[in-house]
Amino acid sequence: MNQARLDGMVLRDLPAPCVLVLDGTPYDCDDTECELSFSLPGLHHVQVEAWPVQSAAFEVAT
């Protein structure tokens, strides 16, 4: 089970290492926390992937 959680604009308890997929673009992440920021306002889709852990998905409105 993926323990990742969204706390405001910060992803916490990330399974390290993992891949963060922000609006369809993957980014490698070696940390257990990540502060999110987006250049454009709107609804953003965030997915946390770390095989074999189940993916976690979030939506962020900016």
Side-chain angles (χ1 to χ4, degrees):
M1 181 170 166
N2 195 327
Q3 299 294 322
R5 60 188 173 91
L6 183 62
D7 182 9
M9 290 294 286
V10 179
L11 287 170
R12 300 190 190 280
D13 300 326
L14 295 171
C18 65
V19 175
L20 302 178
V21 183
L22 307 177
D23 293 330
T25 303
Y27 298 92
D28 291 330
C29 179
D30 294 324
D31 299 318
T32 58
E33 287 190 4
C34 177
E35 185 171 351
L36 301 173
S37 65
F38 299 93
S39 59
L40 298 174
L43 185 62
H44 302 280
H45 301 279
V46 178
Q47 189 163 339
V48 179
E49 299 178 353
W51 192 88
V53 179
Q54 182 179 8
S55 294
F58 306 94
E59 288 187 338
V60 178
T62 58

